[in-house]
Amino acid sequence: MTTNLEVILRWHDPFLTWDPALYNYTYVLRVPHHKIWEPDIILYNSAARDYSSSIISTNAIIDSSGEVKLLLQAIFVSTCWINIAWYPFDQQICDLMFGSRTSDVMQIRITKGDAQISRYEHNHEFVLENFYADMGEIMDPCCDSPFALVSYHVQLQRRYKFPVFFFIMPGILINICAVLVFSLPAESGEKVGLGINSLLAMMVFLMAMINNLPPAESIPLAGMYYGVCLAVITTNIALSVGVMNLSHGGERGYKLPWALKIMTKAMSRWLRVSVHPIVQRHWQRQEEQEQDGVLFESPTVFERSERAWRSLKVRPKTPENADNNPWVPVKRGEGLPEASPIPSAEERDVFVEEWKLASRVMDRFLFILFSVITVLFNSIMLTSSPYGIDMNACNEDEGSCHVD
């Protein structure tokens, strides 16, 4: 952290006292600071390469009673533990720890001064929430006695509008596009394409956000947000592939399984999915047959062709013509089962429409499910920070923050 501040040092030196009456009633002197003794108060957590060059010392102001005041204008570069776990709604507390490097508590007694921000300038990235000081002690291996330490704490709250507008808002819009994958009909062929484009867009914004963050052990809130978004979009793509396969099941000649048909009937009414008239008539006939105690479902074209092929291929030998080969070819037309009627065009259409209806029902269900998940997920993630978005800045009009 780089801080531009003014350091005011005050101390009493009994060797710098005089009687003003003996010196033409001179009560105050201003002398170069290096001409007198001064305490070696330094910034303990400094990160500057050249510490002395960042400090501008003025003349020391000496009172006749021995009170000395030294004004320092400095640009301190200090270490600060950055916690980005709640980025972009994070709060940072950076410390400026001052103390003597060679004089312990038995030699110099340090007291904290007033912490003022009368000349504080606003920062475009952070808001100053609090600025306070406290006293402490620190041990050093060189000495047996501890060293007095005064710490000034700078409490900052990140301005959230920029990262929310440029990083979080695009993620919300991409999530909406990803959910709209389930509103596209399977016949369009764009379901997977829209999901992959959403995934790539999310990766672009994730990389842009990472470039603005310092390396840290913990994953920030925004990083977790994008990670979960990527997992949700990947799940959307996988389920979209399954829905597309479900839609084309009838074209392959397969019959809709009984359990899937029951579920499709129930969910189509619950989800208000329109049913093709030909499927409605087919279901109505089946219901009438169930009421009469008769239920017949004609085999599919695939099942009929499979039965015919097996009957034409081989048949077991009888004891009359037994030999080493237990199977003999069947002559064309010999031993065939009764021919099943070829399914009509309406029956084929029923198979196709039932599978398409199952895919539409699944699309509607997934659309509602992932819409609810997206709304809840975004609401929880954006409100989970303990610091919130209500930033209470220091009252700059009064010129000071709370000082403990």
Side-chain angles (χ1 to χ4, degrees):
M1 182 182 69
T2 303
T3 311
N4 186 359
L5 49 84
E6 181 184 25
V7 180
I8 303 176
L9 299 178
R10 304 170 186 258
W11 69 91
H12 178 76
D13 193 338
F15 298 100
L16 295 177
T17 59
W18 68 90
D19 186 0
L22 299 178
Y23 296 94
N24 198 22
Y25 295 97
T26 302
Y27 291 93
V28 178
L29 291 178
R30 288 171 173 83
V31 298
H33 67 94
H34 59 273
K35 296 292 185 179
I36 62 173
W37 177 89
E38 59 180 307
D40 57 337
I41 304 298
I42 63 172
L43 180 66
Y44 266 63
N45 57 330
S46 174
R49 294 183 177 179
D50 190 358
Y51 181 80
S52 59
S53 63
S54 61
I55 301 176
I56 301 176
S57 301
T58 60
N59 291 331
I61 304 175
I62 307 174
D63 188 82
S64 60
S65 61
E67 298 295 329
V68 184
K69 180 190 299 184
L70 180 61
L71 307 180
L72 306 176
Q73 187 67 35
I75 300 178
F76 288 122
V77 180
S78 58
T79 59
C80 180
W81 178 261
I82 302 297
N83 182 12
I84 59 172
W86 302 106
Y87 176 88
F89 307 110
D90 55 325
Q91 182 186 94
Q92 308 297 335
I93 299 180
C94 295
D95 300 331
L96 297 172
M97 298 182 294
F98 294 94
S100 174
R101 199 61 181 174
T102 58
S103 302
D104 55 30
V105 293
M106 304 301 295
Q107 297 169 330
I108 293 181
R109 183 180 301 171
I110 299 177
T111 59
K112 64 182 179 180
D114 296 334
Q116 298 184 1
I117 58 168
S118 57
R119 289 186 290 175
Y120 169 73
E121 295 183 3
H122 294 277
N123 185 271
H124 68 280
E125 187 175 1
F126 290 95
V127 171
L128 180 62
E129 281 194 327
N130 208 349
F131 184 40
Y132 58 97
D134 57 21
M135 295 295 302
E137 294 181 353
I138 185 173
M139 293 296 300
D140 193 276
C142 72
C143 307
D144 297 331
S145 300
F147 290 82
L149 194 68
V150 56
S151 299
Y152 291 89
H153 307 283
V154 183
Q155 182 175 317
L156 304 172
Q157 174 76 35
R158 188 183 301 274
R159 299 181 187 270
Y160 63 89
K161 292 183 179 180
F162 179 86
V164 165
F165 185 81
F166 286 100
F167 298 137
I168 304 300
M169 187 62 66
I172 296 175
L173 298 178
I174 294 173
N175 279 331
I176 295 175
C177 294
V179 172
L180 292 177
V181 168
F182 298 112
S183 65
L184 286 176
E187 296 81 5
S188 65
E190 297 295 332
K191 296 174 73 67
V192 178
L194 178 59
I196 292 177
N197 290 334
S198 301
L199 184 66
L200 294 177
M202 191 70 72
M203 288 294 298
V204 171
F205 284 101
L206 175 61
M207 298 302 296
M209 183 200 68
I210 292 176
N211 292 332
N212 291 335
L213 291 177
E217 295 181 358
S218 60
I219 300 176
L221 179 66
M224 296 179 60
Y225 174 82
Y226 275 94
V228 176
C229 288
L230 292 174
V232 171
I233 294 177
T234 303
T235 306
N236 288 357
I237 296 174
L239 293 175
S240 298
V241 173
V243 170
M244 293 181 65
N245 286 328
L246 193 66
S247 176
H248 294 84
E251 299 176 1
R252 304 187 186 98
Y254 296 107
K255 182 174 60 175
L256 192 67
W258 176 80
L260 185 57
K261 181 183 293 187
I262 297 299
M263 184 182 67
T264 302
K265 286 183 181 181
M267 295 186 66
S268 62
R269 300 188 185 97
W270 179 57
L271 299 175
R272 305 290 183 181
V273 179
S274 59
V275 183
H276 197 279
I278 191 173
V279 178
Q280 289 181 344
R281 290 195 298 268
H282 179 68
W283 287 354
Q284 186 175 2
R285 287 197 300 267
Q286 287 185 345
E287 291 176 358
E288 293 174 355
Q289 292 173 356
E290 289 177 357
Q291 293 176 359
D292 296 338
V294 179
L295 180 59
F296 173 75
E297 291 187 2
S298 60
T300 63
V301 178
F302 177 80
E303 291 173 343
R304 290 170 182 166
S305 61
E306 181 70 15
R307 293 175 185 176
W309 170 253
R310 290 180 178 176
S311 63
L312 285 172
K313 188 175 180 181
V314 291
R315 71 175 184 184
K317 272 192 173 184
T318 61
E320 291 77 8
N321 56 7
D323 55 15
N324 294 330
N325 186 8
W327 300 91
V328 295
V330 177
K331 296 180 180 179
R332 184 176 297 275
E334 181 182 353
L336 289 177
E338 295 183 1
S340 301
I342 299 176
S344 62
E346 181 179 357
E347 290 178 333
R348 290 194 297 268
D349 292 341
V350 167
F351 296 150
V352 174
E353 292 299 332
E354 281 184 337
W355 282 96
K356 290 184 178 180
L357 176 62
S359 67
R360 290 198 302 272
V361 168
M362 187 61 64
D363 262 338
R364 182 70 59 85
F365 172 74
L366 293 175
F367 177 80
I368 297 175
L369 176 63
F370 278 89
S371 297
V372 174
I373 291 176
T374 300
V375 172
L376 292 178
F377 162 69
N378 284 274
S379 302
I380 293 173
M381 293 294 290
L382 297 180
T383 58
S384 60
S385 173
Y387 308 115
I389 60 176
D390 184 16
M391 294 179 289
N392 299 317
C394 285
N395 190 357
E396 290 90 350
D397 296 335
E398 296 181 0
S400 63
C401 289
H402 172 68
V403 180
D404 293 338

